[in-house]
PDB file of all heavy atoms in Angstrom:
ATOM      1  N   TYR A 240      40.595 -36.674 -67.028  1.00 91.00           N
ATOM      2  CA  TYR A 240      39.720 -35.913 -66.134  1.00 91.00           C
ATOM      3  C   TYR A 240      38.928 -36.810 -65.183  1.00 91.00           C
ATOM      4  O   TYR A 240      38.073 -36.315 -64.465  1.00 91.00           O
ATOM      5  CB  TYR A 240      38.767 -35.054 -66.962  1.00 91.00           C
ATOM      6  CG  TYR A 240      39.492 -34.017 -67.793  1.00 91.00           C
ATOM      7  CD1 TYR A 240      39.796 -34.258 -69.130  1.00 91.00           C
ATOM      8  CD2 TYR A 240      39.892 -32.807 -67.237  1.00 91.00           C
ATOM      9  CE1 TYR A 240      40.469 -33.317 -69.897  1.00 91.00           C
ATOM     10  CE2 TYR A 240      40.568 -31.860 -67.988  1.00 91.00           C
ATOM     11  CZ  TYR A 240      40.851 -32.121 -69.313  1.00 91.00           C
ATOM     12  OH  TYR A 240      41.526 -31.193 -70.064  1.00 91.00           O
ATOM     13  N   VAL A 241      39.190 -38.115 -65.200  1.00 95.00           N
ATOM     14  CA  VAL A 241      38.545 -39.023 -64.248  1.00 95.00           C
ATOM     15  C   VAL A 241      39.591 -39.371 -63.190  1.00 95.00           C
ATOM     16  O   VAL A 241      40.344 -40.327 -63.321  1.00 95.00           O
ATOM     17  CB  VAL A 241      38.012 -40.292 -64.949  1.00 95.00           C
ATOM     18  CG1 VAL A 241      37.296 -41.200 -63.954  1.00 95.00           C
ATOM     19  CG2 VAL A 241      37.073 -39.915 -66.087  1.00 95.00           C
ATOM     20  N   ARG A 242      39.623 -38.567 -62.129  1.00 95.00           N
ATOM     21  CA  ARG A 242      40.639 -38.726 -61.094  1.00 95.00           C
ATOM     22  C   ARG A 242      39.973 -39.123 -59.783  1.00 95.00           C
ATOM     23  O   ARG A 242      38.799 -38.840 -59.536  1.00 95.00           O
ATOM     24  CB  ARG A 242      41.431 -37.433 -60.896  1.00 95.00           C
ATOM     25  CG  ARG A 242      41.977 -36.826 -62.183  1.00 95.00           C
ATOM     26  CD  ARG A 242      42.731 -37.810 -63.045  1.00 95.00           C
ATOM     27  NE  ARG A 242      43.850 -38.439 -62.359  1.00 95.00           N
ATOM     28  CZ  ARG A 242      44.531 -39.463 -62.830  1.00 95.00           C
ATOM     29  NH1 ARG A 242      44.180 -40.019 -63.982  1.00 95.00           N
ATOM     30  NH2 ARG A 242      45.532 -39.958 -62.164  1.00 95.00           N
ATOM     31  N   TRP A 243      40.761 -39.774 -58.916  1.00 96.00           N
ATOM     32  CA  TRP A 243      40.224 -40.283 -57.659  1.00 96.00           C
ATOM     33  C   TRP A 243      39.757 -39.145 -56.750  1.00 96.00           C
ATOM     34  O   TRP A 243      40.272 -38.029 -56.819  1.00 96.00           O
ATOM     35  CB  TRP A 243      41.278 -41.111 -56.930  1.00 96.00           C
ATOM     36  CG  TRP A 243      41.763 -42.307 -57.673  1.00 96.00           C
ATOM     37  CD1 TRP A 243      43.020 -42.524 -58.156  1.00 96.00           C
ATOM     38  CD2 TRP A 243      41.002 -43.476 -58.019  1.00 96.00           C
ATOM     39  NE1 TRP A 243      43.097 -43.738 -58.787  1.00 96.00           N
ATOM     40  CE2 TRP A 243      41.872 -44.353 -58.721  1.00 96.00           C
ATOM     41  CE3 TRP A 243      39.680 -43.860 -57.816  1.00 96.00           C
ATOM     42  CZ2 TRP A 243      41.459 -45.579 -59.210  1.00 96.00           C
ATOM     43  CZ3 TRP A 243      39.265 -45.091 -58.313  1.00 96.00           C
ATOM     44  CH2 TRP A 243      40.145 -45.934 -58.987  1.00 96.00           C
ATOM     45  N   ALA A 244      38.805 -39.458 -55.893  1.00 96.00           N
ATOM     46  CA  ALA A 244      38.305 -38.487 -54.921  1.00 96.00           C
ATOM     47  C   ALA A 244      39.408 -38.126 -53.926  1.00 96.00           C
ATOM     48  O   ALA A 244      40.197 -38.993 -53.523  1.00 96.00           O
ATOM     49  CB  ALA A 244      37.088 -39.052 -54.190  1.00 96.00           C
ATOM     50  N   PRO A 245      39.509 -36.872 -53.497  1.00 96.00           N
ATOM     51  CA  PRO A 245      40.564 -36.467 -52.564  1.00 96.00           C
ATOM     52  C   PRO A 245      40.553 -37.251 -51.259  1.00 96.00           C
ATOM     53  O   PRO A 245      41.622 -37.538 -50.702  1.00 96.00           O
ATOM     54  CB  PRO A 245      40.264 -34.981 -52.326  1.00 96.00           C
ATOM     55  CG  PRO A 245      39.514 -34.540 -53.542  1.00 96.00           C
ATOM     56  CD  PRO A 245      38.709 -35.728 -53.965  1.00 96.00           C
ATOM     57  N   ALA A 246      39.370 -37.620 -50.762  1.00 94.00           N
ATOM     58  CA  ALA A 246      39.309 -38.375 -49.500  1.00 94.00           C
ATOM     59  C   ALA A 246      39.987 -39.735 -49.655  1.00 94.00           C
ATOM     60  O   ALA A 246      40.676 -40.202 -48.724  1.00 94.00           O
ATOM     61  CB  ALA A 246      37.851 -38.545 -49.068  1.00 94.00           C
ATOM     62  N   LEU A 247      39.803 -40.389 -50.801  1.00 94.00           N
ATOM     63  CA  LEU A 247      40.462 -41.673 -51.031  1.00 94.00           C
ATOM     64  C   LEU A 247      41.974 -41.506 -51.138  1.00 94.00           C
ATOM     65  O   LEU A 247      42.737 -42.345 -50.642  1.00 94.00           O
ATOM     66  CB  LEU A 247      39.932 -42.307 -52.318  1.00 94.00           C
ATOM     67  CG  LEU A 247      38.542 -42.951 -52.273  1.00 94.00           C
ATOM     68  CD1 LEU A 247      38.171 -43.461 -53.650  1.00 94.00           C
ATOM     69  CD2 LEU A 247      38.504 -44.080 -51.267  1.00 94.00           C
ATOM     70  N   THR A 248      42.413 -40.439 -51.756  1.00 95.00           N
ATOM     71  CA  THR A 248      43.846 -40.197 -51.917  1.00 95.00           C
ATOM     72  C   THR A 248      44.532 -40.060 -50.563  1.00 95.00           C
ATOM     73  O   THR A 248      45.652 -40.560 -50.364  1.00 95.00           O
ATOM     74  CB  THR A 248      44.067 -38.941 -52.765  1.00 95.00           C
ATOM     75  OG1 THR A 248      43.397 -39.095 -54.022  1.00 95.00           O
ATOM     76  CG2 THR A 248      45.547 -38.709 -53.021  1.00 95.00           C
ATOM     77  N   LYS A 249      43.873 -39.400 -49.620  1.00 95.00           N
ATOM     78  CA  LYS A 249      44.456 -39.262 -48.279  1.00 95.00           C
ATOM     79  C   LYS A 249      44.584 -40.618 -47.588  1.00 95.00           C
ATOM     80  O   LYS A 249      45.578 -40.891 -46.902  1.00 95.00           O
ATOM     81  CB  LYS A 249      43.591 -38.315 -47.444  1.00 95.00           C
ATOM     82  CG  LYS A 249      43.605 -36.872 -47.926  1.00 95.00           C
ATOM     83  CD  LYS A 249      42.731 -35.992 -47.049  1.00 95.00           C
ATOM     84  CE  LYS A 249      42.733 -34.546 -47.538  1.00 95.00           C
ATOM     85  NZ  LYS A 249      41.865 -33.680 -46.707  1.00 95.00           N
ATOM     86  N   LEU A 250      43.573 -41.479 -47.766  1.00 94.00           N
ATOM     87  CA  LEU A 250      43.643 -42.810 -47.164  1.00 94.00           C
ATOM     88  C   LEU A 250      44.777 -43.634 -47.768  1.00 94.00           C
ATOM     89  O   LEU A 250      45.456 -44.385 -47.058  1.00 94.00           O
ATOM     90  CB  LEU A 250      42.308 -43.539 -47.359  1.00 94.00           C
ATOM     91  CG  LEU A 250      41.092 -42.953 -46.635  1.00 94.00           C
ATOM     92  CD1 LEU A 250      39.833 -43.751 -46.974  1.00 94.00           C
ATOM     93  CD2 LEU A 250      41.305 -42.944 -45.126  1.00 94.00           C
ATOM     94  N   VAL A 251      45.007 -43.482 -49.065  1.00 95.00           N
ATOM     95  CA  VAL A 251      46.091 -44.224 -49.709  1.00 95.00           C
ATOM     96  C   VAL A 251      47.449 -43.714 -49.227  1.00 95.00           C
ATOM     97  O   VAL A 251      48.396 -44.497 -49.090  1.00 95.00           O
ATOM     98  CB  VAL A 251      45.964 -44.122 -51.243  1.00 95.00           C
ATOM     99  CG1 VAL A 251      47.151 -44.769 -51.930  1.00 95.00           C
ATOM    100  CG2 VAL A 251      44.680 -44.799 -51.698  1.00 95.00           C
TER     101      VAL A 251
END
Side-chain angles (χ1 to χ4, degrees):
Y240 297 96
V241 182
R242 310 310 303 170
W243 299 114
L247 284 177
T248 304
K249 293 180 180 179
L250 294 178
V251 174

